[in-house]
């Protein structure tokens, strides 16, 4: 005979309840431990991602500083290029005026040369 068969029915049920309670407690502890392990694993992933985030934030800071320096350099170069463009335009305009003046001078010189040639030719023949 088993011990439970010798007990009155009320005590036999109590023993079963005690065993069920022990099994339930054991399962609860197992599930809690499993959840704690999963949480620890999640913490490790979070820590790794936080470290990666910190590296990315630092890289962004460095890149933003470089971008600011490049922008400043470009602004200076754009201003210098604009000065070159202005100087070139002014020089080309002045050169164009010199060319126009030279053409006018050449035209006047040719006319005077023709006038002088006619005058001297007529003086030589007279």
């Amino acid at each position: 005979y088993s011990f439970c068969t010798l007990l009155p029915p009320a005590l036999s049920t109590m023993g079963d309840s005690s065993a069920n309670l022990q099994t339930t407690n054991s399962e609860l502890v197992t599930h809690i431990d499993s959840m704690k392990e999963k949480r620890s694993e999640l913490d490790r992933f979070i820590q790794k991602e936080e470290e990666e985030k910190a590296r990315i934030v630092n890289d962004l800071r460095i890149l933003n500083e470089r971008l600011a320096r490049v922008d400043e350099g470009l602004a200076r170069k754009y201003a210098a290029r604009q000065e070159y463009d202005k100087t070139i335009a002014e020089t080309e305009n002045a050169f164009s005026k010199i060319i126009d003046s030279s053409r006018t001078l050449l035209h006047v010189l040719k006319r005077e040369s023709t006038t002088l040639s006619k005058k001297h030719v007529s003086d030589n023949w007279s």
Side-chain angles (χ1 to χ4, degrees):
Y1 293 115
S2 100
F3 178 73
C4 287
T5 56
L6 298 175
L7 294 174
L11 290 179
S12 175
T13 307
M14 209 167 144
D16 289 345
S17 294
S18 179
N20 284 340
L21 184 60
Q22 184 61 33
T23 302
T24 301
N25 284 344
S26 178
E27 285 182 25
L28 279 172
V29 169
T30 301
H31 285 293
I32 289 171
D33 288 344
S34 174
M35 290 179 77
K36 285 180 179 181
E37 286 176 27
K38 289 178 182 178
R39 183 186 183 284
S40 292
E41 185 178 338
L42 185 60
D43 273 345
R44 287 189 296 276
F45 284 123
I46 288 171
Q47 182 63 32
K48 286 180 183 178
E49 287 189 12
E50 288 289 342
E51 290 169 3
E52 182 180 0
K53 178 184 173 183
R55 282 191 299 274
I56 291 170
V57 166
N58 187 51
D59 291 348
L60 279 172
R61 182 188 55 78
I62 291 168
L63 287 172
N64 281 327
E65 289 171 1
R66 283 177 54 192
L67 178 61
R69 285 192 303 271
V70 168
D71 280 343
E72 290 169 4
L74 279 172
R76 286 190 302 272
K77 286 173 180 75
Y78 288 145
R81 183 176 67 182
Q82 196 170 22
E83 288 180 33
Y84 274 104
D85 289 345
K86 180 182 174 190
T87 301
I88 289 168
E90 289 172 351
T91 303
E92 286 176 340
N93 187 33
F95 184 66
S96 178
K97 289 179 181 178
I98 290 170
I99 295 295
D100 289 344
S101 295
S102 295
R103 284 186 189 134
T104 302
L105 180 61
L106 180 61
H107 178 72
V108 169
L109 183 61
K110 285 180 180 179
R111 189 179 69 220
E112 288 298 317
S113 177
T114 302
T115 303
L116 287 174
S117 290
K118 287 181 183 177
K119 182 177 178 185
H120 286 293
V121 169
S122 64
D123 283 344
N124 284 339
W125 296 108
S126 333

